[in-house]
Amino acid sequence: MTRWLRPPLATLRAFGGRTNADPAAAHRETVRLVALSDGVFAITVTLLVLEIRPPSGDQNLLHGLLALWPSYLAYAVTFLFIGQVWANHHVMFDHIRTADRIVLLLNTLLLMVVAFLPFATSVLAEALRSTYEQRTAVVFYGVAFAVTALMFNALWRYARRHRLVREATDSEAMTAIGSRFLLALVWLTVATLLGALIPALGVVLIVAFNVFYWLPIRGESPRPQP
């Protein structure tokens, strides 16, 4: 019996493995992770427009369409936010060379929050249209954005701390990217807090956030591999 077990054990040793190796330490290429993420981003932005309900037939159509301006506003802000999250997600995984199980978990949590954004958008649009509980709606909307930024920071910082970033990425570029992601969390948190006091100001700060974060990130393009 012992003789029969020797070949498999020898094979494991030849590949540097151990019979009790921790599977959580396994590293994987990021291609499938990015492909899944792209799919979730695409589905989420599609769901946004489904939250806009056409006006009922018992009112003037033009008046009804104009009255939907809160839905148009919330749709545009969230669509652009998800778009820049998608763009910066690609920036991040241009530098992350491999993914372990924790990276897969953190990315899944990030996608879970992103997929929640259409609901938060519909809550904001309804509150702006009815002028009811606008503070609560803006805070709810801002928290969803801030949690997205929080998961972004957790993912990037974990990958950097555990040296999952490409060797071609210099420390200055990693610091610049990390600082930009941290600023996003601070910005959205401040927007949420101010939105609790002045709802319109919170929305304006989120709009300004979208404009700023569509700008290129310093060091976003990795150096070519030698």
Side-chain angles (χ1 to χ4, degrees):
M1 187 70 167
T2 305
R3 182 179 58 189
W4 294 343
L5 291 175
R6 284 176 183 170
L9 290 174
T11 302
L12 285 173
R13 293 191 186 98
F15 284 92
R18 295 180 302 174
T19 55
N20 61 345
D22 182 6
H27 289 183
R28 302 164 181 83
E29 294 294 329
T30 61
V31 175
R32 293 183 63 188
L33 180 151
V34 172
L36 171 65
S37 302
D38 286 349
V40 172
F41 287 129
I43 293 171
T44 302
V45 294
T46 302
L47 291 176
L48 281 174
V49 74
L50 299 180
E51 296 296 331
I52 304 178
R53 300 287 185 266
S56 60
D58 59 351
Q59 60 178 316
N60 180 273
L61 181 58
L62 178 59
H63 181 271
L65 290 173
L66 293 176
L68 290 174
W69 70 265
S71 294
Y72 304 147
L73 174 63
Y75 165 80
V77 173
T78 307
F79 197 107
L80 290 174
F81 176 77
I82 295 175
Q84 60 91 358
V85 168
W86 168 77
N88 288 307
H89 187 271
H90 272 280
V91 169
M92 182 163 57
F93 278 95
D94 282 344
H95 292 280
I96 297 177
R97 58 182 172 79
T98 186
D100 62 11
R101 189 168 290 271
I102 301 301
V103 168
L104 297 179
L105 172 62
L106 292 174
N107 191 72
T108 299
L109 294 175
L110 171 62
L111 297 179
M112 182 176 71
V113 179
V114 169
F116 184 79
L117 292 176
F119 174 69
T121 302
S122 66
V123 170
L124 176 66
E126 182 60 31
L128 293 178
R129 186 162 47 248
S130 63
T131 67
Y132 177 72
E133 292 288 351
Q134 287 188 358
R135 284 186 173 83
T136 302
V138 170
V139 169
F140 185 70
Y141 187 67
V143 166
F145 278 30
V147 173
T148 304
L150 176 63
M151 295 314 306
F152 233 92
N153 277 273
L155 182 51
W156 175 252
R157 290 178 181 276
Y158 175 85
R160 184 178 177 183
R161 183 178 300 115
H162 291 268
R163 300 186 178 183
L164 303 179
V165 178
R166 300 182 189 279
E167 294 180 359
T169 304
D170 58 51
S171 59
E172 186 177 352
M174 287 195 294
T175 300
I177 294 172
S179 298
R180 187 82 176 274
F181 290 167
L182 181 60
L183 175 61
L185 177 59
V186 174
W187 190 323
L188 291 171
T189 301
V190 171
T192 302
L193 294 175
L194 291 179
L197 302 174
I198 309 173
L201 179 58
V203 175
V204 168
L205 286 176
I206 291 175
V207 171
F209 172 87
N210 276 345
V211 174
F212 179 77
Y213 273 83
W214 269 108
L215 299 175
I217 296 177
R218 179 184 177 188
E220 67 176 35
S221 299
R223 294 179 179 178
Q225 296 286 351

